[in-house]
Amino acid sequence: MNHDNHHQAAWSDFNDADAQQGEFNLIPKGTQALVRMAIKPGGHDDASKGWTGGYATASDETGAVFLSCEFVLLMGPFAKRKIWSNVGLHSNKGPTWAQMGRSFIKAVLNSSRNIHPDDNSPEAQRARQIRSFGDLDGTEFAARIGIEKDGQGEYRNIIRLVIEPDHKEYADLMQAKLQRDGGMGGGSGGAPATAVSTAAAQAPQSGASYTPRPGNVQGRPAWAQ
């Protein structure tokens, strides 16, 4: 009888209810995290531009072409939280969006494969090449989270910056990744882990000695269409 009374009280007095889990609370600006990139295929191909495999998405309204991406935080207090953003490939308004998209992808490759952005050796140049956008699907890299308003005036999280090996935070984040992977470099992102081990021998090993460069702010994928 007491048990039944408790349930009756629970549905009329909510003072002792747990606080909501805050799934929709924003991740604080400046949070640094390892993220995994996933591409939602949009079925738009253009072999002349190297857009194959159905990964690109084309907007019927604007004619813009982009990669529709989901970024999942892998560790820390915000693990499993997701950020959605588009990586620009083409805009009818001009080349800026595509240039920013290329800059973002280059930074992702540098971060995931441990290539210093100033390294222009043949090995580094090969590491910045992909066979298709499928090589980016599942890539794990270091990022700094930001906040901005979307087209409806609502605040949302974005990938503000890709953290590359010339950032002082890079070494700590990669060390955390190695610990998560058990020191074997074999987490769920098998291909990116292999790329890291292949390229690392050609890249500077001491990420902590590098200082951030202002030009790296171009590594943000959240742009207005």
Side-chain angles (χ1 to χ4, degrees), residues 139-160:
T139 295
E140 297 179 2
F141 63 93
R144 184 176 302 144
I145 311 303
I147 297 173
E148 74 172 15
K149 283 187 178 181
D150 62 17
Q152 288 71 48
E154 299 290 334
Y155 287 101
R156 68 187 186 99
N157 283 124
I158 60 171
I159 303 295
R160 173 63 64 183

Side-chain angles (χ1 to χ4, degrees), residues 5 23 32 50 111 122 130 132 139 150 166 178:
N5 287 340
E23 176 65 24
Q32 298 170 7
S111 181
I130 59 174
S132 74
T139 295
D150 62 17
D166 63 336
L178 287 174

Side-chain angles (χ1 to χ4, degrees), residues 32-37 71 74 102-119 124 127-130 135-136 138-145 159-178 180-181 189 191-201 203-205 207 210 213 216 218-220:
Q32 298 170 7
L34 286 169
V35 302
R36 180 184 298 122
M37 175 179 178
F71 302 93
L74 298 178
R102 284 174 53 82
S103 294
F104 175 76
I105 292 173
K106 179 181 180 180
V108 167
L109 293 172
N110 284 339
S111 181
S112 65
R113 299 179 175 184
N114 191 19
I115 304 299
H116 191 285
D118 290 336
D119 187 351
R128 296 190 188 102
Q129 297 174 0
I130 59 174
D135 289 350
L136 300 174
T139 295
E140 297 179 2
F141 63 93
R144 184 176 302 144
I145 311 303
I159 303 295
R160 173 63 64 183
L161 179 76
V162 177
I163 298 176
E164 301 176 72
D166 63 336
H167 287 67
K168 63 180 182 295
E169 304 96 338
Y170 181 84
D172 290 340
L173 288 166
M174 289 299 107
Q175 182 62 35
K177 172 178 165 56
L178 287 174
R180 184 206 64 168
D181 293 344
T194 301
V196 169
S197 62
T198 301
Q205 298 299 307
Y210 305 127
R213 298 187 304 162
N216 284 339
Q218 63 189 4
R220 54 178 294 193

Side-chain angles (χ1 to χ4, degrees), residues 80-94:
K80 299 184 180 180
R81 290 284 297 273
K82 298 179 179 180
I83 297 172
W84 292 271
S85 189
N86 297 330
V87 177
L89 303 179
H90 167 78
S91 171
N92 290 335
K93 297 179 181 179

Side-chain angles (χ1 to χ4, degrees), residues 51-70:
W51 306 339
T52 60
Y55 284 98
T57 297
S59 169
D60 293 333
E61 297 180 3
T62 66
V65 183
F66 53 89
L67 299 178
S68 178
C69 296
E70 174 186 274

